[in-house]
Amino acid sequence: MPPQTSPKPASRTQVIGVVVFYLVAALAMVMANKWVLNATDAPLFFLFTQLVIAVILFGISDAMRVLPDRLTFDINICKGLVPMVGLNVIGLSFSNYTLKYVDASFYQVARGLVLPFTVLTSFAVLHVRPSLRILFACAIVTLGFFIGVFLDGTEVSLIGIFFGVVSSAITATHSVVIKQSLNVVNGSALLLSWYTNLLSAVVLIPVIVFAGEAPAVTSLLANADALLLEPGEMSALRKFVWGSAITGALGFMMSIASLLSIKVTSPITHMISSAVRGVAASLLGMWLFKDVITTGRASSIATILLGSIYYTWVKHVESQQSQGSGSSNGGSYERVKTEDIEAGRKSSSTKPE
């Protein structure tokens, strides 16, 4: 039996290229989402158009044979992905509502409880007992969240915080479901992203109607506000179309970026790039949307990032120790879970992490 050769590690240029690609796509995604959400009363319809555009781009890429896996459609796979799709629709919807009601610079704080919720969910559902260092990391992140909510010194939207907390809890549950969902598609993250986007778009159609967005969608498509605009102003419809096109394309790019990131970078590298993204998003929010970065808000973001980076380092150390002792205690799952939390898309491509 010939000896197995280990895969060639990625070069420094490849790692830098993937990290920069991910950072640019993720930052542009958040800013473009906020730009449109500030001007529309139909956030779910906006999410629907993003998903449809991403699905179309997946189809074009598949037709051109540029994807590593061929796209398929199997009704049995669809049935197996029902929990994944349901959580994805709810999670994306609440994420969009969070970004609509809070500043772009505060978005990371509003969804700052993803990590503690994930550790709690893993313990409750998968019986993965966290170490004391993991609990300490969660305590740091939770402290950062409360600093931003209660000690910020500026008025924050309570409904935005509510959506952010619920979105964080859903994301945590999503990170547990993703393992079973990957098994349904034979471990292909690309196929999982394709099915999730396609089925989520279908499910969103009745949700848009039941959520009462039909009048807003009708008004938007009729371009009803065009007559009230000042010369040189962009209508809500034109902004919506451009925003949908940009974020839909970015959503597709985020899927590719997440796949490349999982393949090329380590969890620590990815978390550092996520930290840079969080700081850059706050600065861009201050510049583009005139957000106010108070000392309390800056302290909150820094504390959350510190706790998240510490968590990633602890997980890396524990993973190395586990491999060294020959243990097989869910290492592959932890890798998937870490990438799902800190990458942001994870398998859903339009989430503005």
Side-chain angles (χ1 to χ4, degrees):
M1 181 177 178
Q4 294 182 349
T5 59
S6 59
K8 183 180 179 181
S11 67
R12 180 178 299 181
T13 302
Q14 288 177 315
V15 172
I16 293 175
V18 169
V19 170
V20 171
F21 177 39
Y22 168 76
L23 283 175
V24 172
L27 284 171
M29 189 73 176
V30 174
M31 297 303 130
N33 268 283
K34 183 61 177 175
W35 179 59
V36 176
L37 290 170
N38 280 345
T40 183
D41 294 323
L44 295 182
F45 182 65
F46 176 49
L47 175 59
F48 170 77
T49 59
Q50 291 175 310
L51 292 170
V52 169
I53 291 173
V55 168
I56 292 173
L57 291 176
F58 266 112
I60 294 174
S61 300
D62 181 62
M64 297 175 63
R65 306 292 180 89
V66 297
L67 299 177
D69 299 323
R70 295 307 308 274
L71 302 182
T72 60
F73 186 82
D74 188 330
I75 192 64
N76 291 323
I77 292 180
C78 295
K79 293 177 181 178
L81 294 179
V82 168
M84 174 78 174
V85 173
L87 285 173
N88 190 62
V89 169
I90 299 172
L92 287 175
S93 301
F94 275 71
S95 293
N96 264 17
Y97 277 118
T98 303
L99 190 55
K100 179 175 177 61
Y101 287 106
V102 303
D103 296 340
S105 61
F106 192 77
Y107 178 71
Q108 184 178 2
V109 177
R111 298 191 72 251
L113 294 179
V114 171
L115 177 57
F117 276 136
T118 300
V119 173
L120 177 62
T121 303
S122 298
F123 175 73
V125 178
L126 301 176
H127 308 292
V128 177
R129 187 171 183 176
S131 65
L132 289 177
R133 290 189 295 182
I134 291 295
L135 293 177
F136 181 61
C138 292
I140 295 175
V141 172
T142 305
L143 175 64
F145 171 79
F146 283 109
I147 289 175
V149 173
F150 296 106
L151 302 178
D152 183 25
T154 58
E155 184 178 356
V156 294
S157 170
L158 293 180
I159 189 172
I161 294 173
F162 167 76
F163 282 129
V165 172
V166 176
S167 174
S168 300
I170 294 171
T171 299
T173 308
H174 179 274
S175 68
V176 174
V177 173
I178 192 174
K179 182 187 178 184
Q180 289 81 10
S181 301
L182 281 169
N183 292 335
V184 174
V185 292
N186 297 320
S188 173
L190 181 66
L191 278 179
L192 182 60
S193 183
W194 149 255
Y195 273 104
T196 302
N197 280 277
L198 174 64
L199 298 177
S200 295
V202 174
V203 172
L204 266 175
I205 295 175
V207 174
I208 291 171
V209 177
F210 290 131
E213 286 192 4
V217 173
T218 303
S219 176
L220 175 69
L221 297 180
N223 205 16
D225 68 333
L227 298 177
L228 303 177
L229 296 176
E230 297 292 334
E233 288 186 3
M234 182 180 291
S235 68
L237 177 61
R238 187 177 179 184
K239 184 179 294 187
F240 187 92
V241 171
W242 275 105
S244 298
I246 293 171
T247 53
L250 288 172
F252 173 73
M253 291 173 60
M254 284 293 292
S255 293
I256 305 302
S258 295
L259 294 175
L260 290 173
S261 181
I262 293 172
K263 181 178 180 181
V264 174
T265 68
S266 67
I268 288 182
T269 301
H270 198 94
M271 174 51 78
I272 292 174
S273 66
S274 297
V276 174
R277 182 200 66 203
V279 174
S282 298
L283 295 177
L284 284 174
M286 182 173 60
W287 177 47
L288 296 175
F289 304 111
K290 310 302 179 185
D291 293 352
V292 178
I293 307 296
T294 62
T295 303
R297 183 167 299 186
S299 300
S300 172
I301 294 172
T303 304
I304 291 174
L305 292 177
L306 177 63
S308 300
I309 292 173
Y310 177 65
Y311 165 83
T312 308
W313 177 79
V314 170
K315 289 303 301 181
H316 174 72
V317 171
E318 291 181 352
S319 175
Q320 294 296 318
Q321 293 174 345
S322 177
Q323 291 175 5
S325 62
S327 172
S328 59
N329 187 22
S332 61
Y333 163 70
E334 292 297 343
R335 175 58 185 267
V336 171
K337 182 179 69 176
T338 300
E339 295 298 339
D340 177 57
I341 298 170
E342 288 115 13
R345 199 71 158 347
K346 4 180 154 60
S347 28
S348 175
S349 63
T350 59
K351 194 169 187 176
E353 287 291 331

